[in-house]
Amino acid sequence: MNRTLVIGDIHGGFKALQQVFERAEVTPNDTLIFLGDYVDGWSESSRIIQFLIDLSQKQECIFIKGNHDAWCEDWLALGQSPDMWLFNGGTSTVESYSDYELEDLEGHLEFFQRMKSYHVDDQNRLFIHAGYASMHGPEKEVYSSNYRWDRTLWETAVAMDKKLERNSELYPKRLLLFKEIFIGHTPTLDIGSKIPTNKANVWNMDTGAAFTGALSIMDIDTREFWQSDPLSSLYPDEKGRN
């Protein structure tokens, strides 16, 4: 059986990634779409990147770039480590690379550079880390950083009147562009949900793995999902981004 599985923000939690792969019984026949933020938080960011590089040689993988990945890419490429990044999990990522050889770092940098800003599948489903602001869709976005930072798309979906029909003049134009939209970036914990959460036609897969939540993986066709244990229990001696 060929499934397409979407994975939320991992944030350095390699143990959680292993758990959801086991629980979802991931096989090489599955297509995997990762929504970004592989690094920054728990202590195994570099190990995750190496795992994903190896994984992509065995099966179909699509890697979306998150805001934390863009920070890490700048650090690997230019040596830039802004305080904002270090305060938001970057320190753990830098530490995870302490024993890497230069050639390994170059391979990891190339991996970050190859990540996509977004992906649209053959059923007009969009996969993007955060969102987009343009009424004409992400390909018309003026500021590409919105792919990794925008929260207004999710806030719009959350705030919508549930009775609003798609043919209403009030229905948000941005949401009409795609059959479904899969995002990460803004933890569902913010609205009191610990599981992948659907609002309007948006699915939020960031279930707070960087903080007190779990990592989630979902079959985009059946909606079946699997979760890791809360990452604070998998890394009891660490703080993550808490």
Side-chain angles (χ1 to χ4, degrees), residues 90 142 232:
V142 176
S232 50

Side-chain angles (χ1 to χ4, degrees), residues 105-118:
L105 291 176
E106 288 172 356
H108 283 214
L109 174 59
E110 287 172 10
F111 178 69
F112 281 103
Q113 291 171 333
R114 286 196 304 269
M115 289 177 188
K116 298 179 71 169
S117 293
Y118 60 89

Side-chain angles (χ1 to χ4, degrees), residues 40 68 71 75 79-92 94 241:
D40 299 354
H68 287 268
W71 273 329
W75 173 67
Q80 293 178 347
S81 51
D83 287 345
M84 186 179 177
W85 177 51
L86 296 175
F87 289 144
N88 282 284
T91 300
S92 68
V94 172
R241 294 186 60 210

